[in-house]
Amino acid sequence: MSKSNKPKTLEEKLDLTKITTDHNYAHIEINPEICKAKCTTYECVYGCPANCYKFTEGEEIEGPVVFDYVACLECGTCRLVCPHDSVDWKYPKGGFGVEFKHS
Amino acid sequence: MSEEFDFDVAIVGAGPAGISAALTLAQAGIETVVLERGQYSGAKNVSGAALYGPILNEIVPNYWEDENSFERYLTTKKITLLSESKSVTIDADLRNFAQVPYNGVTVIRPKFDRWLADKAEQAGAMILLDTMVEDLVWNDKQVIGVKSGDEVLKAKLVIIAEGANNILVEKAKLAKKPKARHFALGMKETYKLPKKKMEERFHLDDKEGISNEILGYSKGIPGGGFYYTNQDTVSFGLILNMDVLTKKKLEAPEVFEEFKEHSYIKKLLKDAEMIEYSAHIIPEGGFKHMPKLYGNGVLVVGDAASMVLNAGLYIEGINFALESGKVAGEAAIEILQTDDYTKNQTKLYKKKLKESFAYKDLKTFRRASHFLENKMMFTYVPDLLTGLFEKLLRNNGYPRKRIVKSAIGYVFKKGKLFRLFKLLIGAVRSL
């Protein structure tokens, strides 16, 4: 048992969750055009419990936010909080994605 | 209409709602298939989690005889208010709940859902795992099956039990895309805590369990923390209204981490080892924001129908999932006898559901979700009550006033009396 009470980082926490990534299919996609044209509030960045949405660092080539589905916990928050319908949200294909064991 | 059907009933989702429907149908000899996108039942599911014993007992009689069905039966319920470096807890120790069928039991979803799915399979239902249903199959305005990849599976009735992200319910035109303010984000961590240590820490005997709802210290965001004891793990989490969270521009994982910094939580989780992190949305719109529960060839159950109740003392979903699944199964048995799967007959499900505790509870507490959006509940009230206890108990060498006088004085000094009064009226009306 861990004797250390040092809090785990989000990355360390996400490492505990078993995720089978489907490298051929991104179950969630954002539309950078919409994000760039309309978004000033970035609800996805604040709402995501797995930090899949991050502010674009440096120059905004594509849009203000970058998204990676690999650590996605499939909660559904981003789909609901985006006021511009820029999040095309689907479930991963059967057998892929999170596989909770203790939740 | 002369269709060739593969099954009488196809159920999307092998959570408690879907499985409860499948079990009811299979026991009546109905050809039933359940399509589950996960690697097993419960692989995608996140809950507190606890459910009511009497309800489970209706679905699986004498469930407690099977060790795998539950973790611990609940004998202690705590409600805690947190503010900066303070907490006040109401501790209800109810030993009467220690008798079968038990008032409440804690469960681990991947374990519980699989156990329940096994029951449905034993009764004759077919469960297809790793199977994602992307769409419905239509014949004009009638749902006649489901689609997974290139595969089409036709069924006389489709029961949607897909969970809180109810994409198919939208596709069935029974709901529009819901609003964020009617949803909460739940984040959860599961901790390993050896059985002996857990029982010492929480003053539990073998198999006894505790649940704790925790209000306050969530950055003023409506919601709250919780923990439930399992056999040798603790389920701990924080629920936050996602609309307020994102409007405040606070990152969810950080709010969770800061919540855990409170000494009350730290003591709770001391020396326990985190073994899993999970998250899910929770429908909290309540009765007023439920989708249409039936259509031509289709019924909606459980979280997919927003059948979740948040009334402060109770945050319930599994009970309603089990019950609505059972009622949908019973209705489907009757509907199948008529050979008419249009709304004329599927409305029977709603009629039956209206008689169930699930629908009645949601209706009784229909104002609760609005009341619990009141931010005072999550900031002012915990501050006021924890502060009041500190004031009454602190001894700084001066002679003390009478308790009641001192308390009234304190409440007056904190101000916001009119709003507090309004809050109390709101509580009386909604809870």
Side-chain angles (χ1 to χ4, degrees):
Chain A
M1 198 172 58
S2 149
K3 290 282 168 239
S4 142
N5 267 338
K6 208 175 121 215
K8 283 187 162 55
T9 64
L10 183 61
E11 285 69 29
E12 286 167 339
K13 280 166 65 168
L14 288 164
D15 277 346
L16 300 171
T17 307
K18 187 178 175 194
I19 300 179
T20 309
T21 305
D22 185 346
H23 294 286
N24 299 314
Y25 175 69
H27 64 282
I28 299 171
E29 287 178 306
I30 58 170
N31 184 334
E33 299 292 318
I34 296 180
C35 302
K36 200 170 182 175
K38 290 191 177 168
C39 189
T40 56
T41 42
Y42 319 114
E43 285 84 354
C44 55
V45 175
Y46 303 114
C48 179
N51 268 3
C52 294
Y53 295 83
K54 291 189 176 77
F55 289 114
T56 311
E57 283 176 27
E59 271 186 66
E60 281 188 21
I61 305 158
E62 293 231 352
V65 168
V66 286
F67 168 71
D68 187 351
Y69 68 96
V70 169
C72 175
L73 298 171
E74 298 162 37
C75 71
T77 303
C78 54
R79 181 176 88 97
L80 296 175
V81 294
C82 177
H84 311 294
D85 278 331
S86 178
V87 179
D88 181 17
W89 197 98
K90 295 188 188 76
Y91 289 109
K93 291 189 174 156
F96 286 103
V98 292
E99 188 181 324
F100 296 128
K101 297 189 181 300
H102 310 282
S103 288
Chain B
M1 189 171 60
S2 60
E3 288 282 349
E4 286 280 315
F5 291 105
D6 302 301
F7 285 90
D8 292 326
V9 183
I11 300 167
V12 184
I19 292 295
S20 165
L23 187 59
T24 308
L25 287 160
Q27 281 168 344
I30 310 280
E31 298 245 327
T32 307
V33 65
V34 189
L35 304 107
E36 165 58 43
R37 70 188 183 93
Q39 298 86 341
Y40 41 81
S41 273
K44 303 289 187 180
N45 302 40
V46 185
S47 289
L51 53 89
Y52 287 139
I55 294 162
L56 185 55
N57 192 35
E58 265 184 40
I59 289 159
V60 182
N62 301 345
Y63 72 89
W64 57 86
E65 288 171 2
D66 191 341
E67 266 203 350
N68 291 319
S69 62
F70 72 103
E71 294 292 310
R72 288 172 180 272
Y73 55 81
L74 293 164
T75 49
T76 306
K77 170 95 176 183
K78 291 187 185 185
I79 315 269
T80 300
L81 298 171
L82 296 186
S83 66
E84 193 71 45
S85 72
K86 296 192 275 272
S87 74
V88 170
T89 296
I90 299 169
D91 183 338
D93 193 0
L94 304 162
R95 299 285 140 174
N96 295 344
F97 288 171
Q99 279 131 28
V100 292
Y102 303 127
N103 187 65
V105 293
T106 58
V107 296
I108 294 172
R109 293 292 303 278
K111 209 166 138 189
F112 173 77
D113 289 20
R114 254 190 287 192
W115 170 80
L116 199 61
D118 283 348
K119 300 279 169 213
E121 269 188 326
Q122 283 158 19
M126 179 185 271
I127 300 177
L128 297 176
L129 300 174
D130 296 331
T131 308
M132 174 68 219
V133 171
E134 286 108 12
D135 213 342
L136 301 164
V137 182
W138 296 80
N139 180 347
D140 195 21
K141 286 178 178 161
Q142 172 95 12
V143 174
I144 54 158
V146 295
K147 217 183 276 180
S148 174
D150 301 330
E151 306 248 355
V152 164
L153 205 145
K154 287 192 180 167
K156 294 172 185 168
L157 280 173
V158 172
I159 298 179
I160 302 178
E162 61 183 335
N165 287 300
N166 53 1
I167 311 284
L168 288 179
V169 178
E170 277 179 49
K171 289 190 172 170
K173 301 184 182 74
L174 299 174
K176 293 202 177 101
K177 191 182 155 187
K179 294 196 167 30
R181 67 190 160 92
H182 297 137
F183 281 81
L185 163 64
M187 290 169 285
K188 177 175 163 179
E189 294 168 347
T190 310
Y191 287 84
K192 191 103 191 155
L193 193 61
K195 192 169 180 292
K196 201 166 162 250
K197 208 164 191 171
M198 161 130 45
E199 287 165 0
E200 271 170 22
R201 182 168 300 183
F202 298 110
H203 311 290
L204 302 170
D205 285 336
D206 182 43
K207 277 289 190 184
E208 286 181 352
I210 177 173
S211 73
N212 192 172
E213 322 295 348
I214 305 159
L215 282 188
Y217 208 66
S218 57
K219 305 270 178 193
I221 302 166
F226 64 84
Y227 74 82
Y228 292 87
T229 52
N230 306 313
Q231 265 299 300
D232 59 358
T233 59
V234 176
S235 299
F236 166 75
L238 179 66
I239 296 169
L240 300 168
N241 179 288
M242 61 173 72
D243 190 47
V244 180
L245 166 76
T246 53
K247 285 210 169 95
K248 279 181 177 269
K249 298 199 176 298
L250 296 168
E251 290 190 20
E254 281 179 22
V255 178
F256 193 20
E257 289 307 315
E258 282 178 45
F259 183 71
K260 278 155 60 184
E261 287 297 307
H262 196 284
S263 56
Y264 181 82
I265 309 291
K266 271 190 166 167
K267 267 183 225 158
L268 194 79
L269 300 174
K270 190 170 178 281
D271 292 333
E273 185 195 355
M274 196 194 304
I275 54 170
E276 193 164 73
Y277 176 55
S278 54
H280 214 279
I281 61 165
I282 306 165
E284 290 196 332
F287 188 74
K288 286 180 197 159
H289 299 280
M290 281 163 68
K292 278 202 75 174
L293 297 169
Y294 61 93
N296 292 320
V298 61
L299 310 176
V300 188
V301 295
D303 274 17
S306 288
M307 279 190 237
V308 177
L309 172 66
N310 180 2
L313 252 185
Y314 340 93
I315 306 169
E316 295 178 32
I318 307 176
N319 301 316
F320 298 152
L322 289 170
E323 181 73 5
S324 62
K326 180 169 159 267
V327 173
E330 287 164 354
I333 293 167
E334 287 185 42
I335 296 164
L336 288 165
Q337 283 165 0
T338 68
D339 220 24
D340 173 4
Y341 316 116
T342 65
K343 280 191 270 189
N344 290 333
Q345 291 299 330
T346 54
K347 69 180 179 196
L348 177 68
Y349 163 51
K350 185 163 179 181
K351 195 180 155 206
K352 281 179 171 285
L353 195 66
K354 276 185 170 172
E355 298 304 312
S356 75
F357 81 87
Y359 197 88
K360 285 179 178 165
D361 275 5
L362 287 163
K363 198 171 172 191
T364 302
F365 291 102
R366 64 192 176 280
R367 294 194 191 93
S369 63
H370 182 69
F371 167 69
L372 289 165
E373 277 169 23
N374 190 322
K375 288 178 197 128
M376 277 180 91
M377 279 298 293
F378 309 95
T379 48
Y380 178 76
V381 171
D383 281 352
L384 183 77
L385 284 169
T386 52
L388 177 61
F389 274 93
E390 184 183 10
K391 162 95 181 162
L392 294 178
L393 297 172
R394 186 182 285 279
N395 190 330
N396 51 13
Y398 293 105
R400 283 187 280 207
K401 290 180 193 155
R402 284 165 56 205
I403 289 170
V404 173
K405 198 176 170 191
S406 187
I408 291 172
Y410 178 78
V411 174
F412 264 95
K413 219 172 111 193
K414 288 286 276 186
K416 298 189 188 175
L417 281 182
F418 180 66
R419 283 171 62 191
L420 184 66
F421 185 67
K422 249 180 88 179
L423 188 79
L424 289 173
I425 298 283
V428 170
R429 288 190 56 203
S430 63
L431 299 181

